[in-house]
């Protein structure tokens, strides 16, 4: 597996005028240079140690646990042997495949909807002459709200007896509407709650990117007789790629780790129709206390996310047919 | 009304109607919560007092404030140094470190939950402030370093070089030259860290099971019994929990947006 496409995201990969260039410094700078290097390590060591100790260790442990026979006793954990049993249990379980299918479908659906809607909202707001600042503030609210709270809010809105959605729709249908009662309704209902919370934030990111675009390129396009759509598709959209790819990556990551929303809204139901991989991992680890298979769910989720992001970057890059993203 | 204004109005309604519903419900009495009345007929603060008396919402707020503030301060202290070093100082392997940080932040939280639980159990930090603070610091640091570093490399180098010529140490340079220019980036990293620690659910649910150390999201999720959900009380608590965040966004809106621009577009 190559990491090259991810590296492309980092600004480090683009030629930076500001990058320090040791070779241009005069010879006496040698000691100063060494001094700078040790200062650099002194500055970054605390952070790197914390991340290594509290993130890297758990990640490695999680992967090792998924490949071992785990014996959980009162005195602690005993890992033994190298085995693929944990994974083979998963791969033979319908529940795992359904959860994978649900998570992938949900991620693709919500991220697609959020990026399109976010783009449209950003384009509308860009034309707004005044009050853009207030709009930004309003748009940042759903993002900053605790996701458990937004899940409770939508649970209340969808309530089949006194929910406001039921109050609005039941006269039309002649019976009570319980959105979360069917697998399809629960999935769509959850996606709507997600779209409500995240689209405004995506719009803010895209708007921030749009505002930064150089105006003269679009002016040149207009002079050449391009219409609004052509200017958007051929000039602005390609220029927006870096912003968009970052936004999409973040959304893929978040959507794939989906936990809070189903935990509160549906608890994975009805049946296990809305059980995401993260929720399944939590259930297996902390409810069923099956640590090996639980770690396998978690690790496989991470690997799929990684592959998904790399694939996305590759496709997105080759489709636009240019080098830098 | 032209097309732009109409679309803006639709966006405003889409975003704010659910928020209105949350606040409106929090002002209804328990009986009225079980209706879909668009306005509270007899507005009451009873749900708010229930949140603080029947449930331990005050304690949850205390835990959340302590954990989120401490995490934000720690992440900024650590992240500014690392962001500067990785952006500006001649460290070998900077690229490798940045890519590793990105990879680490890709890892889903559910995969961290079990080993973090064991780690914290090992050092006796389950059901504590410091356990959550340490976990959140590690989880949010990679992204904060990313934002800060991107902001630092967008600052012109001249003043820094002048300071260096004058014999200022790297630490001195950071404190007196870089920090004043990097305030927007620091605000952004700070707000992202604060919001992430304020809203995090899964790790808080796993590490702290005692009521005394529950954070707001966990506390709210566990309001009520197995068969009833006290929506009115939940939304009263939610309204209270939303206030500091709303204030933060209102005051630091510009920092969030400008930091995003530096972080996203340059990234």
């Amino acid at each position: 597996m190559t990491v090259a496409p991810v590296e492309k995201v980092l600004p480090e990969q683009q030629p930076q005028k500001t990058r320090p260039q040791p070779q241009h410094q005069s010879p006496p700078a040698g000691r100063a240079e060494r001094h700078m290097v040790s200062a650099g390590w002194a500055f970054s060591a605390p952070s790197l140690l914390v991340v290594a100790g509290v993130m890297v260790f758990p990640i490695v442990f999680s992967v090792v646990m998924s490949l071992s026979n785990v014996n959980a006793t009162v005195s602690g954990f005993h890992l033994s042997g190298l085995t693929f049993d944990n994974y083979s249990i998963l791969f033979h379980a319908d529940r795992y495949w359904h959860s994978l299918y649900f998570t992938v479908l949900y991620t693709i659906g919500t991220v697609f909807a959020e990026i399109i809607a976010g783009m449209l909202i950003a384009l509308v707001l860009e034309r707004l002459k005044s009050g853009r600042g207030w709009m930004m503030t309003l748009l940042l609210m759903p993002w900053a709200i605790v996701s458990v709270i937004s899940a409770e809010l939508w649970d209340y809105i969808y309530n089949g007896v006194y929910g406001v959605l039921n109050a609005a729709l039941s006269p039309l249908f002649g019976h009570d509407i319980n959105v979360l009662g069917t697998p399809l309704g629960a999935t769509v209902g959850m996606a709507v709650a997600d779209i409500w919370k995240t689209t405004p934030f995506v719009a803010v990111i895209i708007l921030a990117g749009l505002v930064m675009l150089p105006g003269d390129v679009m002016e040149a396009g207009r002079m050449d007789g391009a219409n609004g759509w052509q200017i958007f598709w051929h000039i602005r959209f390609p220029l927006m790629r870096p912003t968009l790819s970052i936004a999409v990556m973040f959304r893929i990551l978040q959507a794939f780790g989906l936990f809070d929303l189903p935990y509160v809204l549906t608890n994975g139901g009805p049946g296990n129709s809305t059980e995401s991989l993260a929720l399944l991992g939590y259930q297996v680890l902390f409810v069923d206390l099956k640590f090996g298979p639980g770690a396998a769910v978690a690790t496989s989720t991470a690997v799929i996310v990684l592959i998904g992001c790399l694939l996305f970057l590759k496709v997105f890059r080759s489709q636009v047919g240019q080098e830098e993203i | 009304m032209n097309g732009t204004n109409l679309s803006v109005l639709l966006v405003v309604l889409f975003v704010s109607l659910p928020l209105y519903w949350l606040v409106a419900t929090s002002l209804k009495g328990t009986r009225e919560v079980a209706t879909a009345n668009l306005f509270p007929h007899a507005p009451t603060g009873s749900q708010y007092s229930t949140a603080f008396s029947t449930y331990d919402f005050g304690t949850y707020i205390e835990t959340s404030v302590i954990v989120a503030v401490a995490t934000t301060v720690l992440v900024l202290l650590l992240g500014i140094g690392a962001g500067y070093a990785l952006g500006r100082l001649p460290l070998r392997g900077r690229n490798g470190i940045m890519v590793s940080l990105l990879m680490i932040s890709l890892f889903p939280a559910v995969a961290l939950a079990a080993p973090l639980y064991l780690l914290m159990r090992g050092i006796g930090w389950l059901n504590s402030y410091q356990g959550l603070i340490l976990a959140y610091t590690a989880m949010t640091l990679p992204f904060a370093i990313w934002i800060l570093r991107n902001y630092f490399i967008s600052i012109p180098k001249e003043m820094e070089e002048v300071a260096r010529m004058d014999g200022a140490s790297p630490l001195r340079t950071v404190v007196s030259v870089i920090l004043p220019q990097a305030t927007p980036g620091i605000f952004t990293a700070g707000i992202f860290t604060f919001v992430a620690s304020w809203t995090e659910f899964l790790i808080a649910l796993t590490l702290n099971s005692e009521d005394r150390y529950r954070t707001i999201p966990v506390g709210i999720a566990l309001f009520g019994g197995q068969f009833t959900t006290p929506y009115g009380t939940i939304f009263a608590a939610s309204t209270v929990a939303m206030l500091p965040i709303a204030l933060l966004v209102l005051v630091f809106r510009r920092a969030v947006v400008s930091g995003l621009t530096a972080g996203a577009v340059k990234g």
Side-chain angles (χ1 to χ4, degrees):
Chain A
M1 189 186 305
T2 168
V3 293
V6 172
E7 266 179 276
K8 288 284 182 207
V9 185
L10 295 172
E12 198 66 32
Q13 293 301 309
Q14 295 160 10
Q16 285 281 346
K17 282 192 198 108
T18 53
R19 183 192 282 185
Q21 307 219 322
Q23 67 270 28
H24 290 310
Q25 289 180 357
S26 47
R31 237 178 75 202
E33 172 84 18
R34 276 203 301 280
H35 186 61
M36 301 261 285
V37 171
S38 45
W41 286 118
F43 283 176
S44 45
S47 293
L48 299 180
L49 285 178
V50 168
V51 172
V54 187
M55 295 284 286
V56 177
F57 160 74
I59 290 175
V60 172
F61 191 87
S62 201
V63 174
V64 170
M65 192 155 75
S66 75
L67 291 168
S68 316
N69 296 307
V70 186
N71 258 321
T73 61
V74 188
S75 61
F77 269 67
H78 299 285
L79 304 183
S80 60
L82 173 71
T83 171
F84 291 97
D85 285 359
N86 297 322
Y87 288 94
S88 83
I89 291 173
L90 289 194
F91 298 153
H92 287 99
D94 287 344
R95 191 170 162 200
Y96 175 79
W97 289 110
H98 179 270
S99 165
L100 176 64
Y101 164 79
F102 169 77
T103 311
V104 170
L105 209 68
Y106 180 88
T107 303
I108 294 175
T110 51
V111 173
F112 201 70
E114 284 159 12
I115 296 295
I116 302 274
M119 191 88 192
L120 287 175
I121 294 176
L123 286 170
V124 167
L125 291 190
E126 201 210 1
R127 302 177 64 154
L128 203 62
K129 296 286 182 295
S130 62
R132 208 193 279 165
W134 287 107
M135 283 300 292
M136 290 263 205
T137 313
L138 179 66
L139 290 180
L140 287 171
M141 287 301 168
W143 161 71
I145 209 175
V146 173
S147 51
V148 167
I149 294 180
S150 76
E152 298 279 12
L153 174 62
W154 285 95
D155 190 35
Y156 179 61
I157 289 175
Y158 292 146
N159 187 291
V161 180
Y162 46 81
V164 67
L165 195 73
N166 179 51
L169 294 183
S170 57
L172 297 177
F173 288 86
H175 59 86
D176 280 348
I177 303 291
N178 183 10
V179 177
L180 302 177
T182 65
L184 180 66
T187 307
V188 173
M190 209 150 85
V192 168
D194 201 323
I195 288 167
W196 172 76
K197 191 175 189 316
T198 320
T199 304
F201 182 66
V202 173
V204 171
I205 297 187
I206 295 178
L207 181 59
L210 271 179
V211 175
M212 292 272 289
L213 292 185
D216 48 350
V217 192
M218 279 161 281
E219 200 47 50
R222 213 164 285 137
M223 301 272 270
D224 290 345
N227 64 29
W229 171 249
Q230 286 168 331
I231 289 179
F232 173 75
W233 189 246
H234 292 294
I235 301 177
R236 312 189 71 183
F237 185 69
L239 285 172
M240 287 293 293
R241 269 177 303 123
T243 315
L244 280 177
S245 60
I246 296 282
V248 172
M249 286 257 294
F250 271 108
R251 285 304 306 137
I252 292 180
L253 285 180
Q254 274 183 346
F256 219 80
L258 178 77
F259 177 77
D260 308 8
L261 208 46
Y263 182 88
V264 173
L265 201 55
T266 62
N267 200 16
N272 48 21
S273 56
T274 58
E275 189 170 62
S276 66
L277 282 171
L279 190 62
L280 175 68
Y282 178 83
Q283 297 280 358
V284 176
L285 277 169
F286 294 104
V287 180
D288 306 344
L289 298 178
K290 290 179 179 157
F291 290 93
V297 174
T299 305
S300 67
T301 308
V303 170
I304 296 166
V305 169
L306 198 64
I307 294 175
C309 283
L310 295 177
L311 270 181
F312 163 76
L313 282 176
K314 212 176 167 92
V315 171
F316 201 59
R317 260 173 67 210
S318 67
Q319 196 174 33
V320 187
Q322 281 186 21
E323 264 309 294
E324 43 95 29
I325 274 192
Chain B
M1 184 179 274
N2 62 32
T4 305
N5 289 346
L6 187 69
S7 328
V8 170
L9 184 71
L10 284 177
V11 173
V12 170
L13 289 178
F14 170 66
V15 175
S16 53
L17 277 183
L19 289 176
Y20 164 77
W21 199 234
L22 179 106
V23 178
T25 309
S26 78
L27 294 169
K28 291 176 179 172
T30 304
R31 201 170 300 221
E32 206 188 351
V33 169
T35 67
N37 292 348
L38 292 184
F39 307 98
H41 288 184
T44 161
S46 65
Q47 305 288 1
Y48 287 81
S49 46
T50 307
F52 286 93
S53 59
T54 310
Y55 302 99
D56 269 340
F57 193 59
T59 312
Y60 306 154
I61 294 182
E62 198 186 315
T63 306
S64 273
V65 168
I66 291 174
V67 170
V69 169
T71 302
T72 309
V73 171
L74 256 177
V75 163
L76 287 182
L77 278 178
L78 295 172
I80 288 172
Y84 179 73
L86 291 168
R88 277 289 168 83
L89 296 178
L91 290 186
R92 205 175 289 170
R94 286 190 304 182
N95 285 355
I97 294 175
M98 288 312 290
V99 173
S100 316
L101 286 177
L102 186 78
M103 295 287 189
I104 289 168
S105 58
L106 292 184
F107 219 70
V110 68
L112 298 173
L116 270 181
Y117 177 87
L118 294 174
L119 180 74
M120 295 300 172
R121 198 176 70 167
I123 56 177
W125 282 10
L126 288 179
N127 287 309
S128 70
Y129 298 129
Q130 65 270 30
L132 263 195
I133 293 170
L134 180 63
Y136 287 175
T137 302
M139 286 163 70
T140 49
L141 248 178
F143 187 60
I145 292 177
W146 229 56
I147 294 183
L148 288 165
R149 171 189 165 279
N150 283 355
Y151 208 89
F152 291 148
I153 56 180
S154 73
I155 296 174
K157 271 193 91 180
E158 287 77 19
M159 284 174 72
E160 216 177 315
E161 258 150 22
V162 171
R164 195 178 306 144
M165 296 288 188
D166 289 348
S169 69
L171 184 63
R172 184 70 205 266
T173 314
V174 172
V175 172
S176 53
V177 180
I178 298 293
L179 288 192
Q181 297 185 70
T183 0
I186 294 170
F187 274 137
T188 309
I191 288 167
F192 271 78
T193 307
F194 187 88
V195 169
S197 344
W198 188 260
T199 58
E200 203 285 330
F201 178 60
L202 175 58
I203 300 294
L205 180 72
T206 345
L207 294 188
N208 289 3
S209 56
E210 276 173 25
D211 217 34
R212 179 75 196 82
Y213 295 104
R214 273 188 188 141
T215 57
I216 292 175
V218 180
I220 287 182
L222 300 179
F223 267 12
Q226 208 179 341
F227 301 107
T228 54
T229 315
Y231 289 110
T233 314
I234 287 176
F235 295 150
S238 304
T239 307
V240 175
M242 248 168 53
L243 285 179
I245 295 289
L247 219 68
L248 211 65
V249 170
L250 198 67
V251 175
F252 295 119
R253 181 186 73 223
R254 242 171 265 279
V256 175
V257 175
S258 79
L260 274 177
T261 322
V265 177
K266 290 207 180 68

